[in-house]
Amino acid sequence: MEISMKINGAEVTHDVEPRTLLVHFVRENAGLRGTHWGCDTSNCGACVLWVDGTPIKSCTMLAASAAGHDITTVEGLEKDGKLDPIQQGFIECHGLQCGFCTPGMLMTGRWILDNNPKPSEEEIREGISGQLCRCTGYKNIVDSIHWAAAHPAENEVSA
Amino acid sequence: MTAVQEVPISAGGNPIGFGSMKRVEDQRFVRGQGNYVDDVNLPGMLHSAILRSPWAHARIKSIDTSAAEALPGVIAVLTGKALEGIPRPSLLGDNFAWMPTLSYDTQAVLATDKVRFQGQEVAFVIAESRYIAKDAVELIDVDYEPLEPVMDAKRAMDPGAPVIRDDKGQTDNSITDVHGHKTWESGNAISTAEAIARAEADPNCVVVTQEVMYPRVHPAPMETCGSVAHMDKVTGQLTLYTTSQAPHAHRTVYAMVAGLPEQKIRVISPDIGGGFGNKVGVYPGYVLSILGTIVTGKPVKWIEDRGENLMSTSFARDYHMTGKIAATKDGKILAVDVDVLADHGAFNGVAQPTNYPAGFFHIFSGSYDYPDAHCKVTPVYTNKAPGGVAYACSFRITEAVYVIERLVDCLAAELGMDPAELRLKNLLKPEQFPYTSPTGWVYDSGQYEKTMRVAMEIAGYDELRREQAEKRARGEYMGIGISFFTEGVGAGPRKDMDILGLGMADGIELRVHPTGKAVLRLSVMSQGQGHETTYAQIVAHELGIPPEDIDVVNGDTDQTPFGLGTYGSRSMPVSGAAAAIVSRKVKERARIVAAAALECSPDDLEWELGRWSVKGDKERGKTIQEIALLSHSSLELPEGVEGHLDATAVYNPPNLTYPYGAYICVVDVDPGTGVVKVRRFIAVDDCGTRVNPMLVDGQVHGGIADGIGMALMELIAFDTDGNNLGGSFMDYLLPTSMECPSFELGETVTPSPHHPIGAKGVGESATVGSPAAVVNAVMDALAPFGVRHADMPLTPSNVWRAIQGNPIRVDMAIE
Ligand code: FES
Ligand code: FES
């Protein structure tokens, strides 16, 4: 079946099997390999991207269900050659090691700040609790999100 | 030996040498531009899936692949029988159905006669898409005759137990190593037994015996294993993109397995999404992707599911340990004896130095000063997945640290002594180094008491004990757990350590280009450690070239010199040393070039970071960048001196390095629900010189999370029918941000005297050291209930049952 959706602002159309998962559509068909896959059971969150601005585990959604919707992936965070503060935060605070969980963590981290510009440590920990990282022990991920909260981009309204 | 000094900052804002520096590799990762194996896409590439055994032990009567082959989009279906028909031109067996393991055993690539663990590879489907390959797997019809499975290491040795490795003509389930040994011992059995007997007879002494199980767990990196193989039929060149922590060693193994000329094999490990020892072994899936490309002539991709990863690739631990510790009543340790039953699964596939069949478990005597220690390890086959040495275990030092640190706490409980005081009384003293342990390890350096006191200071130890006493009086259960560990990492030396005959030394190559920029080529392989950053810092430290001017290449056998790869915390102790040494070679060559340019003798020159200048006349000098250009110029060099500023080195470590640390964990236990909350975790590591302290801390954080996970939630359990009960992330629980506290770190720095920059390695320290601290804390909390020991994982139900006096038996299969 033919499926169209907007990914990072660009219209994407592909003819795929109806059972195609969104994560595979984004990775294989749209060729955006920043979104990762890490488990069979919706537990790891390596696949998190946004559907209409909300973080979704894209391994758990059919591409067909996302048809006509607005998808944002990690590749969509950088604007005009400038990293989003959340990306910069992960660099500043060593919020990643192998980088495999990172795209999902960035998408959730950005979303946390969009909804709660000054989150507490507890709120951040709860926000990322559906996603696994095997390298960092989460401390530096929490710090990275705090860093981004403290360094909003110029166009962000700081709280 | 160098300690951290004042470091100049480069124009790029980076330390020209050691210090916290942001990682080079993050630029691509935060943009989603990493390149992992599953991101590799070659023209015409085919996909694959593996049919795996539902049974732990069964005879294969027949396999019918016709329906699978008939499915549109399926290119080929391989079975064990088909592989038996492919002759193998090598010394390691005459067909492809079996392959050698890293411990000189054999492992089925695809099962022929029997399946020996649930999840074992039975058939391999190659198709146009992964979805079709998965569909086809469902269509393969295998007729199995189920056999009684052996799911319990203790049962494996029963005379009547079913024999698992009848393929090798075995009549029992014992494992024989390459030296013909069925048990592995170290230390002095006689003196240890005598010391323990003396203590037993002496009213001023105690002997404490404790059985502790380190259950089967899995490293579970976020990226599963996989490969993309491509054989160019015309040139005979095989390119393998693969999740490998040891690309060079893997290439040699493939050359041996497949009988392919080694120069025609190129192994590329692109970005690796975490390894932790899971990506050291050579798995059937990798070999099948190679056979797949040979059969089809097209590139073949194989990517594991999470279930496949957890059920078939390298597990860790599964060590059944019984320890005895003897001490005087005032707390002086006298002797330790440990007996181990080691469950190796269905194939002996442990990845470790040949002469250390129990890994480095023999370092179990720990960080304490006493004369007599002995251990005996008996390995057995069971109907479980092969592996054993993985999950940041430093070749089984995890198990060693766990048993000694539990024993010391049991001793403290027996003596009614504070566990910190007991440790302080027995820790090795700085003047005892280099220290030869009762089992023959030579610890390089340490200031153990100092490190312990820093940890106690950060924790506010005395205050914590006061708080605990108050809480106990109120019926609240808080626990404080300590672990003091010593690791031996950085294998070789090559004369003592090899894997499949490959000595554990590592090559390195440094080129300084005419403009003074450099490229460093490593044999070791980052899986997230940040090699592209830290190794540039080592060259910067030695040569004064800014780190941003140095590119670090790893993970491609065509672009890097041979070496044994990254595991056992060996990158910094081995290749870190190599990086310093190769830089020093370049520095010496630069001196000759500078002397020629300055028309003086090399002896008249002195070095300050990044510049050779004339002694007593600092103005006359040349920077390393100027010298680089001169080395390529028409400048006349003395007879016999080659131009250019390039060098290579192979580093063969003279000894292991011995990082160590003191960890303190504080928990609160709810006796009603059994829920354990880790409130604080204090880690003071001494890993010698810290090249990039920010990255050292990051590695420690990750390891503490591992330890919390293993202590509280992770377990690969089996039922008596042979079913793996930990085959998904719904069943195999990993710690999330909610289980981990905000870790509190400290440091002491005791450089290794034999390492060129004094670094010891830290990659596995926290995974090795932290589980005992968490378990000790929980046992401390439960002491009022009379609980002395319960095995990991200390899940709520296990803790609750321990309080009732009936902890869960993780050493047996579940009925
Ligand atoms: S891939 Fe694990 S949650 Fe989606
Ligand atoms: S950085 Fe490796 S899994 Fe998170």
Side-chain angles (χ1 to χ4, degrees), chain B residues 464-480 666-672 675 679 777-778 780-785 803:
Chain B
L464 283 172
R465 285 289 173 205
R466 264 195 294 280
E467 182 191 348
Q468 181 185 39
E470 278 170 33
K471 288 205 157 141
R472 273 193 186 159
R474 292 203 298 267
E476 288 173 35
Y477 298 90
M478 159 188 173
I480 305 153
V666 183
V667 301
D668 296 301
V669 178
D670 179 338
V675 169
R679 191 205 309 171
V778 178
D780 184 49
L782 299 185
F785 297 101
I803 293 171

Short mmCIF file of all heavy atoms in Angstrom, two decimals, chain B residues 464-480 666-672 675 679 777-778 780-785 803:
data_model
loop_
_atom_site.label_atom_id
_atom_site.label_comp_id
_atom_site.label_asym_id
_atom_site.label_seq_id
_atom_site.Cartn_x
_atom_site.Cartn_y
_atom_site.Cartn_z
N LEU B 464 26.01 7.91 58.82
CA LEU B 464 25.08 6.92 58.26
C LEU B 464 24.79 5.82 59.27
O LEU B 464 23.66 5.37 59.42
CB LEU B 464 25.66 6.30 56.99
CG LEU B 464 25.61 7.14 55.71
CD1 LEU B 464 26.41 6.46 54.59
CD2 LEU B 464 24.17 7.39 55.26
N ARG B 465 25.84 5.38 59.96
CA ARG B 465 25.63 4.32 60.96
C ARG B 465 24.74 4.82 62.10
O ARG B 465 23.90 4.07 62.60
CB ARG B 465 26.98 3.85 61.52
CG ARG B 465 27.78 2.96 60.56
CD ARG B 465 27.14 1.57 60.39
NE ARG B 465 27.84 0.80 59.36
CZ ARG B 465 27.28 -0.19 58.66
NH1 ARG B 465 26.03 -0.54 58.88
NH2 ARG B 465 27.96 -0.84 57.75
N ARG B 466 24.92 6.09 62.47
CA ARG B 466 24.06 6.65 63.52
C ARG B 466 22.59 6.67 63.05
O ARG B 466 21.68 6.26 63.76
CB ARG B 466 24.50 8.08 63.87
CG ARG B 466 25.42 8.15 65.08
CD ARG B 466 25.55 9.58 65.60
NE ARG B 466 26.23 10.45 64.65
CZ ARG B 466 27.55 10.50 64.49
NH1 ARG B 466 28.35 9.73 65.22
NH2 ARG B 466 28.09 11.31 63.61
N GLU B 467 22.42 7.14 61.81
CA GLU B 467 21.06 7.20 61.24
C GLU B 467 20.44 5.80 61.21
O GLU B 467 19.27 5.62 61.55
CB GLU B 467 21.13 7.78 59.83
CG GLU B 467 19.77 7.92 59.16
CD GLU B 467 19.86 8.24 57.67
OE1 GLU B 467 20.96 8.58 57.18
OE2 GLU B 467 18.82 8.13 56.99
N GLN B 468 21.27 4.83 60.82
CA GLN B 468 20.75 3.46 60.74
C GLN B 468 20.26 2.96 62.11
O GLN B 468 19.20 2.35 62.21
CB GLN B 468 21.85 2.55 60.20
CG GLN B 468 21.40 1.11 60.04
CD GLN B 468 22.55 0.20 59.63
OE1 GLN B 468 23.68 0.35 60.10
NE2 GLN B 468 22.27 -0.73 58.73
N ALA B 469 21.07 3.26 63.13
CA ALA B 469 20.70 2.80 64.47
C ALA B 469 19.37 3.42 64.90
O ALA B 469 18.48 2.73 65.43
CB ALA B 469 21.81 3.15 65.45
N GLU B 470 19.22 4.70 64.61
CA GLU B 470 17.96 5.39 64.98
C GLU B 470 16.78 4.76 64.24
O GLU B 470 15.73 4.52 64.80
CB GLU B 470 18.03 6.86 64.56
CG GLU B 470 18.75 7.75 65.55
CD GLU B 470 18.98 9.13 64.94
OE1 GLU B 470 18.12 9.60 64.14
OE2 GLU B 470 20.02 9.71 65.25
N LYS B 471 17.01 4.51 62.95
CA LYS B 471 15.92 3.95 62.13
C LYS B 471 15.55 2.56 62.60
O LYS B 471 14.38 2.21 62.67
CB LYS B 471 16.32 3.93 60.66
CG LYS B 471 16.34 5.33 60.06
CD LYS B 471 16.12 5.33 58.58
CE LYS B 471 15.61 6.68 58.14
NZ LYS B 471 16.17 7.13 56.89
N ARG B 472 16.57 1.77 62.91
CA ARG B 472 16.28 0.41 63.38
C ARG B 472 15.42 0.46 64.63
O ARG B 472 14.49 -0.33 64.77
CB ARG B 472 17.58 -0.33 63.68
CG ARG B 472 18.11 -0.99 62.44
CD ARG B 472 19.21 -1.99 62.73
NE ARG B 472 19.74 -2.45 61.45
CZ ARG B 472 20.93 -2.99 61.27
NH1 ARG B 472 21.74 -3.15 62.30
NH2 ARG B 472 21.32 -3.37 60.08
N ALA B 473 15.73 1.41 65.48
CA ALA B 473 14.95 1.54 66.71
C ALA B 473 13.49 1.84 66.39
O ALA B 473 12.59 1.50 67.14
CB ALA B 473 15.56 2.62 67.59
N ARG B 474 13.27 2.50 65.23
CA ARG B 474 11.89 2.84 64.82
C ARG B 474 11.27 1.76 63.93
O ARG B 474 10.19 1.95 63.40
CB ARG B 474 11.90 4.14 64.01
CG ARG B 474 12.27 5.38 64.76
CD ARG B 474 11.70 6.62 64.05
NE ARG B 474 12.22 6.82 62.70
CZ ARG B 474 13.28 7.59 62.44
NH1 ARG B 474 13.92 8.20 63.42
NH2 ARG B 474 13.70 7.74 61.20
N GLY B 475 12.02 0.69 63.68
CA GLY B 475 11.49 -0.36 62.81
C GLY B 475 11.63 -0.04 61.33
O GLY B 475 10.86 -0.53 60.51
N GLU B 476 12.62 0.82 60.99
CA GLU B 476 12.88 1.09 59.57
C GLU B 476 14.18 0.42 59.18
O GLU B 476 15.12 0.38 59.98
CB GLU B 476 12.97 2.60 59.33
CG GLU B 476 11.62 3.29 59.45
CD GLU B 476 11.75 4.80 59.39
OE1 GLU B 476 12.63 5.30 58.65
OE2 GLU B 476 11.00 5.47 60.11
N TYR B 477 14.22 -0.08 57.96
CA TYR B 477 15.34 -0.94 57.58
C TYR B 477 16.20 -0.29 56.51
O TYR B 477 15.89 -0.31 55.33
CB TYR B 477 14.81 -2.31 57.15
CG TYR B 477 14.12 -2.95 58.31
CD1 TYR B 477 12.75 -2.76 58.52
CD2 TYR B 477 14.84 -3.67 59.25
CE1 TYR B 477 12.13 -3.29 59.63
CE2 TYR B 477 14.22 -4.20 60.37
CZ TYR B 477 12.87 -4.01 60.55
OH TYR B 477 12.26 -4.52 61.66
N MET B 478 17.26 0.31 56.98
CA MET B 478 18.21 0.96 56.10
C MET B 478 19.49 0.12 56.14
O MET B 478 19.84 -0.44 57.17
CB MET B 478 18.47 2.36 56.66
CG MET B 478 19.74 3.01 56.22
SD MET B 478 19.96 4.55 57.18
CE MET B 478 21.60 4.99 56.64
N GLY B 479 20.18 0.01 54.99
CA GLY B 479 21.40 -0.78 54.96
C GLY B 479 22.55 -0.01 54.33
O GLY B 479 22.34 0.82 53.44
N ILE B 480 23.75 -0.29 54.81
CA ILE B 480 24.95 0.35 54.26
C ILE B 480 25.87 -0.79 53.82
O ILE B 480 26.21 -1.66 54.62
CB ILE B 480 25.67 1.21 55.33
CG1 ILE B 480 24.68 2.23 55.91
CG2 ILE B 480 26.90 1.90 54.74
CD1 ILE B 480 25.04 2.65 57.31
N VAL B 666 23.96 2.82 49.89
CA VAL B 666 22.98 2.99 50.97
C VAL B 666 21.60 2.64 50.42
O VAL B 666 21.19 3.18 49.39
CB VAL B 666 22.97 4.45 51.48
CG1 VAL B 666 22.00 4.59 52.65
CG2 VAL B 666 24.38 4.90 51.88
N VAL B 667 20.94 1.72 51.08
CA VAL B 667 19.60 1.32 50.61
C VAL B 667 18.56 1.46 51.73
O VAL B 667 18.91 1.45 52.91
CB VAL B 667 19.58 -0.16 50.12
CG1 VAL B 667 20.55 -0.38 48.98
CG2 VAL B 667 19.85 -1.13 51.27
N ASP B 668 17.33 1.57 51.29
CA ASP B 668 16.20 1.49 52.21
C ASP B 668 15.34 0.32 51.75
O ASP B 668 15.02 0.22 50.57
CB ASP B 668 15.38 2.79 52.16
CG ASP B 668 16.20 3.97 52.65
OD1 ASP B 668 16.65 3.94 53.80
OD2 ASP B 668 16.40 4.92 51.87
N VAL B 669 15.00 -0.55 52.69
CA VAL B 669 14.22 -1.73 52.34
C VAL B 669 12.87 -1.66 53.04
O VAL B 669 12.79 -1.39 54.24
CB VAL B 669 14.95 -3.02 52.76
CG1 VAL B 669 14.10 -4.25 52.44
CG2 VAL B 669 16.31 -3.12 52.07
N ASP B 670 11.83 -1.88 52.24
CA ASP B 670 10.48 -1.94 52.82
C ASP B 670 10.20 -3.41 53.14
O ASP B 670 10.03 -4.22 52.23
CB ASP B 670 9.48 -1.40 51.79
CG ASP B 670 8.05 -1.45 52.30
OD1 ASP B 670 7.77 -2.26 53.22
OD2 ASP B 670 7.22 -0.69 51.77
N PRO B 671 10.15 -3.76 54.42
CA PRO B 671 10.00 -5.18 54.76
C PRO B 671 8.62 -5.73 54.40
O PRO B 671 8.45 -6.94 54.26
CB PRO B 671 10.23 -5.22 56.28
CG PRO B 671 9.93 -3.83 56.75
CD PRO B 671 10.20 -2.91 55.62
N GLY B 672 7.67 -4.85 54.22
CA GLY B 672 6.32 -5.30 53.87
C GLY B 672 6.23 -5.77 52.43
O GLY B 672 5.57 -6.76 52.12
N VAL B 675 10.63 -4.25 48.66
CA VAL B 675 11.21 -3.33 47.67
C VAL B 675 12.46 -2.68 48.23
O VAL B 675 12.48 -2.19 49.36
CB VAL B 675 10.19 -2.25 47.25
CG1 VAL B 675 10.86 -1.15 46.44
CG2 VAL B 675 9.05 -2.87 46.46
N ARG B 679 19.36 4.43 47.73
CA ARG B 679 19.25 5.85 48.02
C ARG B 679 20.52 6.60 47.58
O ARG B 679 20.47 7.68 47.04
CB ARG B 679 19.05 6.04 49.53
CG ARG B 679 18.68 7.44 49.91
CD ARG B 679 19.05 7.81 51.35
NE ARG B 679 18.58 6.87 52.35
CZ ARG B 679 18.96 6.94 53.63
NH1 ARG B 679 19.77 7.91 54.05
NH2 ARG B 679 18.54 6.04 54.50
N ALA B 777 24.67 -4.07 51.17
CA ALA B 777 23.79 -3.07 51.78
C ALA B 777 22.43 -3.69 52.13
O ALA B 777 21.89 -3.47 53.21
CB ALA B 777 23.60 -1.88 50.84
N VAL B 778 21.90 -4.49 51.21
CA VAL B 778 20.59 -5.10 51.48
C VAL B 778 20.70 -6.09 52.64
O VAL B 778 19.84 -6.13 53.53
CB VAL B 778 20.02 -5.78 50.21
CG1 VAL B 778 18.68 -6.46 50.52
CG2 VAL B 778 19.85 -4.77 49.08
N ASP B 780 22.79 -5.96 55.03
CA ASP B 780 22.96 -5.14 56.24
C ASP B 780 21.59 -4.65 56.72
O ASP B 780 21.30 -4.68 57.93
CB ASP B 780 23.88 -3.96 55.91
CG ASP B 780 24.19 -3.11 57.12
OD1 ASP B 780 24.56 -3.69 58.16
OD2 ASP B 780 24.06 -1.88 57.03
N ALA B 781 20.75 -4.27 55.76
CA ALA B 781 19.41 -3.80 56.14
C ALA B 781 18.60 -4.93 56.76
O ALA B 781 17.79 -4.71 57.66
CB ALA B 781 18.69 -3.25 54.91
N LEU B 782 18.81 -6.16 56.26
CA LEU B 782 17.99 -7.29 56.72
C LEU B 782 18.58 -7.99 57.94
O LEU B 782 17.98 -8.94 58.46
CB LEU B 782 17.83 -8.32 55.58
CG LEU B 782 17.13 -7.82 54.31
CD1 LEU B 782 16.94 -8.98 53.33
CD2 LEU B 782 15.80 -7.15 54.61
N ALA B 783 19.73 -7.52 58.41
CA ALA B 783 20.39 -8.18 59.54
C ALA B 783 19.46 -8.36 60.74
O ALA B 783 19.46 -9.43 61.38
CB ALA B 783 21.66 -7.43 59.94
N PRO B 784 18.62 -7.36 61.08
CA PRO B 784 17.73 -7.56 62.24
C PRO B 784 16.80 -8.75 62.09
O PRO B 784 16.29 -9.28 63.07
CB PRO B 784 16.93 -6.25 62.30
CG PRO B 784 17.77 -5.24 61.59
CD PRO B 784 18.50 -6.00 60.53
N PHE B 785 16.57 -9.19 60.84
CA PHE B 785 15.72 -10.37 60.63
C PHE B 785 16.54 -11.66 60.71
O PHE B 785 16.01 -12.75 60.44
CB PHE B 785 15.02 -10.31 59.27
CG PHE B 785 14.07 -9.16 59.14
CD1 PHE B 785 14.43 -8.00 58.45
CD2 PHE B 785 12.81 -9.21 59.74
CE1 PHE B 785 13.56 -6.93 58.34
CE2 PHE B 785 11.93 -8.14 59.62
CZ PHE B 785 12.31 -7.00 58.93
N ILE B 803 13.31 -12.47 54.17
CA ILE B 803 12.85 -12.06 55.51
C ILE B 803 12.10 -13.21 56.18
O ILE B 803 12.21 -13.42 57.39
CB ILE B 803 11.98 -10.78 55.41
CG1 ILE B 803 12.83 -9.59 54.96
CG2 ILE B 803 11.29 -10.48 56.75
CD1 ILE B 803 12.05 -8.34 54.63
#
